[in-house]
Coordinates of all heavy atoms in Angstrom, one line a residue:
M1 N 7.8 -13.5 -17.8 CA 7.4 -13.9 -16.4 C 7.8 -12.9 -15.4 O 8.9 -12.3 -15.5 CB 8.0 -15.3 -16.1 CG 7.7 -15.8 -14.7 SD 6.0 -16.4 -14.7 CE 6.2 -17.8 -13.6
I2 N 7.0 -12.6 -14.5 CA 7.3 -11.6 -13.4 C 8.3 -12.2 -12.4 O 8.1 -13.3 -12.0 CB 6.0 -11.0 -12.8 CG1 5.3 -10.2 -13.8 CG2 6.3 -10.2 -11.5 CD1 4.0 -9.6 -13.3
S3 N 9.2 -11.4 -11.9 CA 10.2 -11.9 -10.9 C 9.7 -11.7 -9.5 O 8.7 -10.9 -9.3 CB 11.5 -11.2 -11.1 OG 11.4 -9.8 -10.7
C4 N 10.3 -12.3 -8.6 CA 9.9 -12.1 -7.2 C 10.1 -10.7 -6.8 O 9.3 -10.1 -6.0 CB 10.8 -13.0 -6.3 SG 10.6 -14.8 -6.4
H5 N 11.1 -10.0 -7.2 CA 11.4 -8.6 -7.0 C 10.2 -7.8 -7.5 O 9.7 -6.9 -6.7 CB 12.7 -8.2 -7.6 CG 12.9 -6.7 -7.5 ND1 13.4 -6.1 -6.3 CD2 12.8 -5.6 -8.3 CE1 13.5 -4.8 -6.4 NE2 13.1 -4.5 -7.6
E6 N 9.7 -8.1 -8.6 CA 8.6 -7.3 -9.2 C 7.3 -7.6 -8.4 O 6.5 -6.7 -8.1 CB 8.3 -7.7 -10.6 CG 9.4 -7.1 -11.6 CD 9.1 -7.6 -13.0 OE1 9.4 -8.8 -13.3 OE2 8.7 -6.8 -13.8
V7 N 7.1 -8.8 -7.9 CA 6.0 -9.2 -7.1 C 6.0 -8.3 -5.8 O 5.0 -7.7 -5.5 CB 5.9 -10.7 -6.8 CG1 4.8 -11.0 -5.8 CG2 5.6 -11.4 -8.1
T8 N 7.1 -8.3 -5.2 CA 7.2 -7.5 -3.9 C 6.9 -6.0 -4.2 O 6.3 -5.3 -3.4 CB 8.5 -7.7 -3.2 OG1 9.6 -7.3 -4.0 CG2 8.6 -9.1 -2.7
R9 N 7.4 -5.5 -5.3 CA 7.2 -4.1 -5.7 C 5.8 -3.8 -6.0 O 5.2 -2.7 -5.7 CB 8.1 -3.7 -6.9 CG 8.1 -2.3 -7.2 CD 9.1 -2.0 -8.3 NE 8.9 -2.7 -9.6 CZ 8.0 -2.4 -10.5 NH1 7.2 -1.4 -10.3 NH2 7.9 -3.1 -11.6
L10 N 5.0 -4.8 -6.6 CA 3.7 -4.6 -7.0 C 2.6 -5.1 -6.0 O 1.4 -5.0 -6.2 CB 3.4 -5.3 -8.4 CG 4.3 -4.8 -9.5 CD1 4.1 -5.7 -10.7 CD2 3.8 -3.4 -9.9
A11 N 3.1 -5.7 -4.9 CA 2.2 -6.4 -4.0 C 1.0 -5.5 -3.5 O -0.1 -6.0 -3.5 CB 3.0 -6.9 -2.8
G12 N 1.3 -4.3 -3.1 CA 0.3 -3.4 -2.5 C -0.8 -3.1 -3.6 O -2.0 -3.2 -3.3
E13 N -0.3 -2.8 -4.7 CA -1.3 -2.5 -5.8 C -2.1 -3.7 -6.2 O -3.3 -3.6 -6.5 CB -0.5 -1.9 -7.1 CG 0.1 -0.5 -6.8 CD 0.9 -0.1 -8.1 OE1 2.1 -0.5 -8.1 OE2 0.3 0.6 -8.9
Y14 N -1.4 -4.9 -6.2 CA -2.1 -6.1 -6.5 C -3.2 -6.4 -5.5 O -4.3 -6.7 -5.9 CB -1.1 -7.3 -6.5 CG -1.7 -8.6 -6.8 CD1 -2.0 -9.0 -8.0 CD2 -1.9 -9.5 -5.7 CE1 -2.6 -10.3 -8.3 CE2 -2.5 -10.8 -5.9 CZ -2.8 -11.1 -7.2 OH -3.4 -12.4 -7.4
L15 N -2.9 -6.3 -4.2 CA -3.9 -6.6 -3.2 C -5.0 -5.5 -3.2 O -6.1 -5.9 -2.8 CB -3.2 -6.6 -1.8 CG -2.3 -7.8 -1.6 CD1 -1.5 -7.7 -0.3 CD2 -3.0 -9.1 -1.7
E16 N -4.7 -4.3 -3.6 CA -5.7 -3.3 -3.7 C -6.5 -3.3 -5.0 O -7.3 -2.4 -5.3 CB -5.1 -1.9 -3.3 CG -4.6 -1.9 -1.9 CD -3.9 -0.6 -1.6 OE1 -3.6 0.2 -2.5 OE2 -3.6 -0.4 -0.4
R17 N -6.1 -4.2 -5.9 CA -6.7 -4.3 -7.2 C -6.6 -3.1 -8.1 O -7.5 -2.7 -8.7 CB -8.2 -4.7 -7.1 CG -8.4 -6.1 -6.3 CD -9.8 -6.4 -6.3 NE -10.1 -7.6 -5.4 CZ -9.9 -8.8 -5.7 NH1 -9.4 -9.2 -6.9 NH2 -10.1 -9.8 -4.8
R18 N -5.4 -2.5 -8.0 CA -5.1 -1.3 -8.8 C -4.2 -1.6 -10.0 O -3.8 -0.7 -10.7 CB -4.5 -0.3 -7.9 CG -5.4 0.3 -6.9 CD -4.8 1.5 -6.1 NE -3.8 1.1 -5.2 CZ -2.6 1.7 -5.2 NH1 -2.3 2.7 -5.9 NH2 -1.7 1.2 -4.3
L19 N -3.9 -2.9 -10.3 CA -3.1 -3.2 -11.4 C -3.9 -3.5 -12.7 O -5.1 -3.9 -12.6 CB -2.3 -4.5 -11.1 CG -1.1 -4.4 -10.1 CD1 -0.5 -5.7 -9.9 CD2 -0.1 -3.3 -10.5
K20 N -3.4 -3.1 -13.8 CA -4.1 -3.5 -15.0 C -4.1 -5.0 -15.2 O -3.3 -5.7 -14.6 CB -3.4 -2.8 -16.2 CG -3.5 -1.3 -16.2 CD -3.0 -0.7 -17.4 CE -3.2 0.8 -17.3 NZ -2.8 1.5 -18.5
L21 N -5.0 -5.5 -16.0 CA -5.2 -6.9 -16.1 C -4.0 -7.7 -16.4 O -3.7 -8.7 -15.8 CB -6.3 -7.2 -17.1 CG -6.7 -8.7 -17.4 CD1 -7.2 -9.3 -16.1 CD2 -7.7 -8.8 -18.5
R22 N -3.2 -7.3 -17.3 CA -2.0 -8.0 -17.8 C -1.0 -8.2 -16.6 O -0.5 -9.2 -16.4 CB -1.3 -7.3 -18.9 CG -0.2 -8.1 -19.5 CD 0.4 -7.4 -20.7 NE 1.5 -8.2 -21.3 CZ 1.7 -8.2 -22.6 NH1 1.0 -7.5 -23.4 NH2 2.7 -8.9 -23.0
R23 N -0.7 -7.1 -15.9 CA 0.2 -7.1 -14.7 C -0.4 -8.0 -13.6 O 0.2 -8.8 -13.0 CB 0.4 -5.7 -14.1 CG 1.4 -4.9 -14.8 CD 2.7 -5.4 -14.3 NE 3.7 -4.4 -14.7 CZ 4.9 -4.5 -14.7 NH1 5.5 -5.6 -14.3 NH2 5.7 -3.5 -15.2
R24 N -1.7 -7.8 -13.4 CA -2.4 -8.6 -12.4 C -2.3 -10.1 -12.6 O -2.0 -10.9 -11.7 CB -3.9 -8.2 -12.3 CG -4.6 -8.9 -11.2 CD -5.9 -8.2 -10.9 NE -6.6 -8.8 -9.8 CZ -6.3 -8.9 -8.6 NH1 -5.3 -8.2 -8.2 NH2 -7.0 -9.5 -7.7
L25 N -2.5 -10.5 -13.9 CA -2.4 -11.9 -14.2 C -0.9 -12.4 -14.1 O -0.7 -13.5 -13.7 CB -2.9 -12.1 -15.7 CG -4.4 -12.1 -15.9 CD1 -4.7 -12.2 -17.4 CD2 -5.1 -13.1 -15.1
G26 N 0.0 -11.5 -14.4 CA 1.4 -11.9 -14.3 C 1.8 -12.2 -12.8 O 2.4 -13.2 -12.5
V27 N 1.3 -11.3 -11.9 CA 1.5 -11.5 -10.5 C 0.8 -12.8 -10.0 O 1.4 -13.6 -9.3 CB 1.1 -10.3 -9.7 CG1 1.1 -10.6 -8.2 CG2 1.9 -9.1 -10.0
F28 N -0.4 -12.9 -10.5 CA -1.2 -14.1 -10.1 C -0.5 -15.4 -10.5 O -0.4 -16.3 -9.7 CB -2.6 -14.0 -10.7 CG -3.5 -15.2 -10.4 CD1 -4.1 -15.4 -9.2 CD2 -3.7 -16.2 -11.3 CE1 -4.9 -16.4 -8.9 CE2 -4.5 -17.3 -11.1 CZ -5.1 -17.4 -9.8
L29 N 0.0 -15.5 -11.7 CA 0.6 -16.7 -12.2 C 1.9 -16.9 -11.4 O 2.3 -18.1 -11.1 CB 0.9 -16.6 -13.7 CG -0.3 -16.7 -14.6 CD1 0.0 -16.4 -16.0 CD2 -1.1 -18.0 -14.4
H30 N 2.7 -15.9 -11.2 CA 3.9 -16.0 -10.4 C 3.6 -16.6 -9.0 O 4.3 -17.5 -8.6 CB 4.7 -14.7 -10.3 CG 5.9 -14.8 -9.5 ND1 7.2 -15.0 -10.0 CD2 6.1 -14.7 -8.1 CE1 8.0 -15.1 -9.1 NE2 7.4 -14.9 -7.9
V31 N 2.6 -16.0 -8.4 CA 2.3 -16.4 -7.0 C 1.8 -17.9 -7.0 O 2.0 -18.6 -6.0 CB 1.2 -15.4 -6.4 CG1 0.7 -15.9 -5.1 CG2 1.9 -14.1 -6.2
L32 N 1.1 -18.3 -8.0 CA 0.7 -19.7 -8.1 C 1.9 -20.7 -8.0 O 1.8 -21.8 -7.5 CB -0.1 -20.0 -9.4 CG -1.5 -19.6 -9.4 CD1 -2.1 -19.9 -10.8 CD2 -2.3 -20.3 -8.4
M33 N 3.0 -20.2 -8.6 CA 4.2 -21.1 -8.7 C 5.3 -20.8 -7.6 O 6.2 -21.6 -7.4 CB 4.9 -21.0 -10.0 CG 3.9 -21.4 -11.2 SD 4.7 -21.3 -12.8 CE 4.6 -19.6 -13.1
C34 N 5.2 -19.7 -6.9 CA 6.2 -19.3 -5.9 C 5.7 -19.3 -4.5 O 5.0 -18.4 -4.1 CB 6.8 -18.0 -6.3 SG 8.1 -17.4 -5.3
K35 N 6.1 -20.2 -3.7 CA 5.6 -20.3 -2.3 C 6.0 -19.1 -1.5 O 5.3 -18.6 -0.7 CB 6.2 -21.6 -1.7 CG 5.7 -21.9 -0.3 CD 6.2 -23.2 0.3 CE 5.7 -23.4 1.7 NZ 6.2 -24.6 2.2
G36 N 7.3 -18.6 -1.7 CA 7.8 -17.5 -1.0 C 6.9 -16.2 -1.2 O 6.6 -15.5 -0.3
C37 N 6.6 -16.0 -2.5 CA 5.8 -14.8 -2.8 C 4.3 -15.0 -2.3 O 3.7 -14.0 -1.9 CB 5.8 -14.5 -4.3 SG 7.4 -13.8 -4.8
R38 N 3.9 -16.2 -2.4 CA 2.5 -16.5 -1.9 C 2.4 -16.2 -0.4 O 1.5 -15.5 0.1 CB 2.2 -17.9 -2.2 CG 0.7 -18.3 -2.1 CD 0.4 -19.6 -2.8 NE 1.3 -20.7 -2.4 CZ 2.1 -21.3 -3.3 NH1 2.1 -20.9 -4.6 NH2 2.8 -22.3 -3.0
S39 N 3.5 -16.6 0.3 CA 3.5 -16.3 1.8 C 3.6 -14.8 2.0 O 3.0 -14.3 2.9 CB 4.7 -17.0 2.3 OG 4.9 -16.7 3.7
Y40 N 4.5 -14.1 1.3 CA 4.7 -12.7 1.4 C 3.3 -11.9 1.2 O 3.0 -11.1 2.0 CB 5.7 -12.2 0.4 CG 5.9 -10.7 0.4 CD1 6.6 -10.1 1.4 CD2 5.3 -9.9 -0.6 CE1 6.7 -8.7 1.5 CE2 5.4 -8.5 -0.6 CZ 6.1 -7.9 0.4 OH 6.2 -6.6 0.4
L41 N 2.6 -12.3 0.1 CA 1.3 -11.6 -0.2 C 0.3 -11.9 0.9 O -0.4 -11.0 1.3 CB 0.8 -12.1 -1.5 CG 1.3 -11.4 -2.8 CD1 0.6 -12.0 -4.0 CD2 1.1 -9.9 -2.7
E42 N 0.3 -13.1 1.5 CA -0.6 -13.4 2.6 C -0.3 -12.6 3.8 O -1.2 -12.0 4.5 CB -0.6 -14.9 2.9 CG -1.6 -15.3 4.0 CD -3.0 -15.0 3.7 OE1 -3.4 -14.7 2.6 OE2 -3.8 -15.0 4.7
Q43 N 1.0 -12.5 4.1 CA 1.4 -11.7 5.3 C 1.0 -10.2 5.1 O 0.5 -9.6 6.0 CB 2.9 -11.8 5.5 CG 3.3 -13.2 6.0 CD 4.8 -13.3 6.1 OE1 5.5 -12.3 6.0 NE2 5.3 -14.6 6.1
L44 N 1.3 -9.7 3.9 CA 0.9 -8.3 3.6 C -0.6 -8.1 3.6 O -1.1 -7.1 4.2 CB 1.5 -7.9 2.2 CG 1.3 -6.4 1.8 CD1 1.9 -5.5 2.8 CD2 1.9 -6.2 0.4
R45 N -1.3 -9.0 3.1 CA -2.8 -8.9 3.1 C -3.3 -8.9 4.6 O -4.2 -8.0 4.9 CB -3.4 -10.1 2.4 CG -4.9 -10.0 2.3 CD -5.5 -11.3 1.7 NE -5.4 -12.4 2.6 CZ -6.3 -12.6 3.7 NH1 -7.2 -11.8 3.9 NH2 -6.1 -13.7 4.4
L46 N -2.8 -9.7 5.4 CA -3.2 -9.7 6.9 C -2.8 -8.4 7.6 O -3.5 -7.8 8.4 CB -2.6 -10.9 7.6 CG -3.2 -12.2 7.1 CD1 -2.4 -13.4 7.8 CD2 -4.7 -12.4 7.5
T47 N -1.6 -7.9 7.2 CA -1.1 -6.6 7.8 C -2.1 -5.5 7.4 O -2.4 -4.7 8.2 CB 0.3 -6.3 7.4 OG1 1.2 -7.4 7.8 CG2 0.8 -5.0 7.9
L48 N -2.4 -5.4 6.1 CA -3.3 -4.4 5.6 C -4.7 -4.5 6.3 O -5.3 -3.4 6.7 CB -3.5 -4.5 4.1 CG -2.2 -4.1 3.3 CD1 -2.4 -4.4 1.8 CD2 -1.9 -2.6 3.5
L49 N -5.2 -5.7 6.5 CA -6.5 -5.8 7.2 C -6.4 -5.3 8.6 O -7.3 -4.6 9.1 CB -6.9 -7.3 7.2 CG -7.5 -7.9 5.9 CD1 -7.7 -9.4 6.1 CD2 -8.8 -7.2 5.6
A50 N -5.3 -5.7 9.3 CA -5.1 -5.2 10.7 C -5.0 -3.7 10.8 O -5.6 -3.1 11.6 CB -3.8 -5.9 11.3
L51 N -4.3 -3.1 9.8 CA -4.1 -1.6 9.8 C -5.4 -0.9 9.6 O -5.7 0.1 10.1 CB -3.1 -1.2 8.8 CG -1.6 -1.5 9.2 CD1 -0.7 -1.3 8.0 CD2 -1.2 -0.8 10.4
R52 N -6.2 -1.5 8.7 CA -7.6 -0.9 8.4 C -8.5 -1.0 9.6 O -9.4 -0.2 9.7 CB -8.2 -1.6 7.2 CG -7.4 -1.2 5.9 CD -8.1 -1.8 4.7 NE -7.3 -1.5 3.5 CZ -6.9 -2.4 2.6 NH1 -7.2 -3.7 2.8 NH2 -6.2 -2.0 1.6
A53 N -8.3 -1.9 10.5 CA -9.1 -2.1 11.6 C -8.8 -1.1 12.7 O -9.6 -0.9 13.6 CB -9.0 -3.5 12.2
I54 N -7.7 -0.4 12.7 CA -7.3 0.5 13.7 C -8.1 1.8 13.4 O -7.9 2.4 12.3 CB -5.8 0.8 13.7 CG1 -5.0 -0.5 14.0 CG2 -5.5 1.9 14.7 CD1 -3.5 -0.4 13.8
P55 N -8.8 2.3 14.3 CA -9.6 3.6 14.1 C -8.6 4.8 14.0 O -7.6 4.8 14.6 CB -10.5 3.7 15.3 CG -9.9 2.9 16.4 CD -9.1 1.8 15.7
A56 N -9.0 5.7 13.1 CA -8.2 6.9 13.0 C -8.3 7.8 14.2 O -9.4 7.8 14.9 CB -8.8 7.8 11.8
P57 N -7.2 8.4 14.7 CA -7.2 9.1 15.9 C -8.0 10.4 15.7 O -8.1 11.0 14.6 CB -5.7 9.5 16.1 CG -5.1 9.4 14.8 CD -5.9 8.4 14.0
E58 N -8.6 10.8 16.8 CA -9.4 12.1 16.8 C -8.4 13.2 17.1 O -7.6 13.2 18.0 CB -10.4 12.1 18.0 CG -11.6 11.1 17.7 CD -12.5 11.6 16.6 OE1 -12.7 12.8 16.5 OE2 -13.0 10.7 16.0
V59 N -8.4 14.2 16.2 CA -7.5 15.3 16.3 C -8.3 16.6 16.5 O -9.2 16.9 15.7 CB -6.6 15.5 15.0 CG1 -5.7 16.7 15.2 CG2 -5.8 14.3 14.8
P60 N -8.1 17.3 17.7 CA -8.9 18.5 17.9 C -8.7 19.5 16.8 O -7.6 19.6 16.2 CB -8.3 19.0 19.2 CG -7.6 17.9 19.8 CD -7.2 17.0 18.7
P61 N -9.8 20.2 16.4 CA -9.7 21.1 15.3 C -8.5 22.1 15.4 O -7.9 22.4 14.4 CB -11.0 21.9 15.3 CG -11.9 20.9 16.0 CD -11.1 20.2 17.0
Q62 N -8.2 22.7 16.5 CA -7.2 23.6 16.7 C -5.8 23.0 16.4 O -5.0 23.5 15.7 CB -7.2 24.2 18.1 CG -6.1 25.3 18.2 CD -6.1 25.9 19.6 OE1 -6.9 25.6 20.5 NE2 -5.1 26.8 19.9
R63 N -5.6 21.8 16.9 CA -4.4 21.1 16.6 C -4.2 20.7 15.2 O -3.1 20.8 14.6 CB -4.3 19.8 17.5 CG -3.0 19.0 17.4 CD -1.8 19.8 17.9 NE -0.6 19.0 17.8 CZ 0.5 19.5 17.4 NH1 0.7 20.8 17.2 NH2 1.6 18.7 17.3
R64 N -5.3 20.4 14.6 CA -5.3 20.0 13.1 C -4.9 21.2 12.3 O -4.0 21.1 11.4 CB -6.7 19.5 12.7 CG -6.8 19.1 11.2 CD -8.2 18.7 10.9 NE -8.3 18.2 9.6 CZ -8.4 18.9 8.5 NH1 -8.4 20.2 8.6 NH2 -8.5 18.4 7.3
E65 N -5.4 22.4 12.6 CA -5.0 23.6 11.9 C -3.5 23.9 12.1 O -2.8 24.3 11.2 CB -5.9 24.8 12.3 CG -7.3 24.7 11.8 CD -7.4 24.5 10.3 OE1 -6.7 25.2 9.6 OE2 -8.2 23.7 9.8
E66 N -3.0 23.7 13.3 CA -1.6 24.0 13.6 C -0.7 23.0 12.8 O 0.3 23.5 12.2 CB -1.3 23.7 15.1 CG -1.9 24.8 16.0 CD -1.7 24.4 17.5 OE1 -0.9 23.5 17.8 OE2 -2.4 25.0 18.3
L67 N -1.1 21.8 12.7 CA -0.4 20.8 11.9 C -0.4 21.1 10.4 O 0.7 21.1 9.8 CB -0.9 19.4 12.1 CG -0.7 18.8 13.5 CD1 -1.5 17.5 13.7 CD2 0.8 18.5 13.8
L68 N -1.5 21.5 9.9 CA -1.6 21.9 8.5 C -0.8 23.1 8.2 O -0.1 23.2 7.2 CB -3.1 22.1 8.1 CG -4.0 20.9 8.0 CD1 -5.4 21.3 7.8 CD2 -3.5 20.0 6.8
R69 N -0.8 24.1 9.1 CA 0.0 25.3 8.9 C 1.5 25.0 8.9 O 2.2 25.4 8.0 CB -0.3 26.4 10.0 CG 0.3 27.7 9.8 CD -0.1 28.8 10.8 NE 0.0 28.3 12.2 CZ -1.0 28.1 12.9 NH1 -2.3 28.2 12.5 NH2 -0.9 27.7 14.2
T70 N 1.9 24.2 9.8 CA 3.3 23.8 9.9 C 3.7 23.0 8.6 O 4.8 23.3 8.0 CB 3.6 22.9 11.1 OG1 3.2 23.6 12.3 CG2 5.0 22.4 11.2
F71 N 2.8 22.1 8.1 CA 3.1 21.4 6.9 C 3.2 22.3 5.7 O 4.2 22.2 4.9 CB 2.0 20.3 6.7 CG 2.1 19.6 5.4 CD1 3.1 18.6 5.3 CD2 1.3 19.8 4.3 CE1 3.2 17.9 4.1 CE2 1.4 19.2 3.2 CZ 2.4 18.2 3.0
R72 N 2.3 23.2 5.6 CA 2.3 24.2 4.5 C 3.6 25.0 4.5 O 4.2 25.3 3.5 CB 1.1 25.0 4.5 CG -0.2 24.3 4.1 CD -1.4 25.2 4.1 NE -2.6 24.4 3.9 CZ -3.6 24.4 4.7 NH1 -3.6 25.1 5.8 NH2 -4.7 23.6 4.5
E73 N 4.0 25.5 5.7 CA 5.2 26.3 5.8 C 6.4 25.5 5.4 O 7.3 26.0 4.8 CB 5.3 26.8 7.3 CG 4.4 27.9 7.6 CD 4.4 28.2 9.1 OE1 5.1 27.6 9.9 OE2 3.5 29.1 9.5
H74 N 6.5 24.2 5.8 CA 7.6 23.3 5.5 C 7.6 23.1 4.0 O 8.7 23.2 3.4 CB 7.4 22.0 6.2 CG 8.5 21.0 5.8 ND1 9.8 21.1 6.2 CD2 8.4 19.9 5.1 CE1 10.5 20.1 5.7 NE2 9.7 19.4 5.0
R75 N 6.5 22.9 3.4 CA 6.4 22.6 1.9 C 6.8 23.9 1.2 O 7.4 23.8 0.1 CB 5.0 22.2 1.5 CG 4.6 20.9 2.0 CD 4.7 19.8 1.1 NE 4.5 20.1 -0.3 CZ 4.2 19.3 -1.2 NH1 4.0 18.0 -0.9 NH2 4.2 19.6 -2.4
G76 N 6.4 25.0 1.7 CA 6.8 26.3 1.0 C 8.3 26.6 1.1 O 8.8 27.4 0.3
G77 N 9.0 26.1 2.1 CA 10.4 26.3 2.2 C 11.2 25.5 1.3 O 12.4 25.7 1.2
R78 N 10.7 24.7 0.5 CA 11.5 23.8 -0.4 C 11.9 24.5 -1.7 O 11.4 25.3 -2.3 CB 10.7 22.5 -0.8 CG 10.7 21.6 0.4 CD 10.1 20.3 -0.1 NE 10.3 19.3 1.0 CZ 10.0 18.1 0.8 NH1 9.5 17.6 -0.2 NH2 10.1 17.2 1.8

């Protein structure tokens, strides 16, 4: 049986349907019996829906290139 800790760890993948069948069924069965995890998954589901509804910001091409260059320089310094 999957624990509450495992459900919280797998919640995002579960909601995005990225778990293999066996894990998915384990989470599903746990959630059927656990009110706390059921509530947690519902809150996370609503949060993900709200975040997906926010439009991506428009970034001017020049600023985008500056950000990418800074990121690449930072990664190269590791």
Side-chain angles (χ1 to χ4, degrees):
M1 180 75 142
I2 290 181
S3 68
C4 294
H5 177 75
E6 288 176 289
V7 169
T8 58
R9 188 174 58 80
L10 297 170
E13 291 175 275
Y14 176 78
L15 292 173
E16 293 173 352
R17 301 181 189 280
R18 291 188 289 133
L19 291 177
K20 292 187 178 182
L21 181 61
R22 186 176 182 148
R23 277 278 194 196
R24 185 164 178 72
L25 287 174
V27 172
F28 178 77
L29 291 173
H30 178 94
V31 169
L32 281 177
M33 296 182 282
C34 181
K35 184 178 179 181
C37 287
R38 199 165 41 250
S39 176
Y40 175 77
L41 278 180
E42 180 60 13
Q43 290 172 17
L44 183 57
R45 185 185 71 77
L46 292 172
T47 300
L48 290 171
L49 282 174
L51 289 172
R52 288 181 185 130
I54 298 171
E58 292 288 327
V59 180
Q62 182 179 355
R63 181 66 178 140
R64 182 179 185 279
E65 289 305 315
E66 290 172 14
L67 290 169
L68 286 172
R69 185 173 51 253
T70 301
F71 176 74
R72 288 182 187 121
E73 288 170 1
H74 175 74
R75 295 258 330 196
R78 286 187 172 186

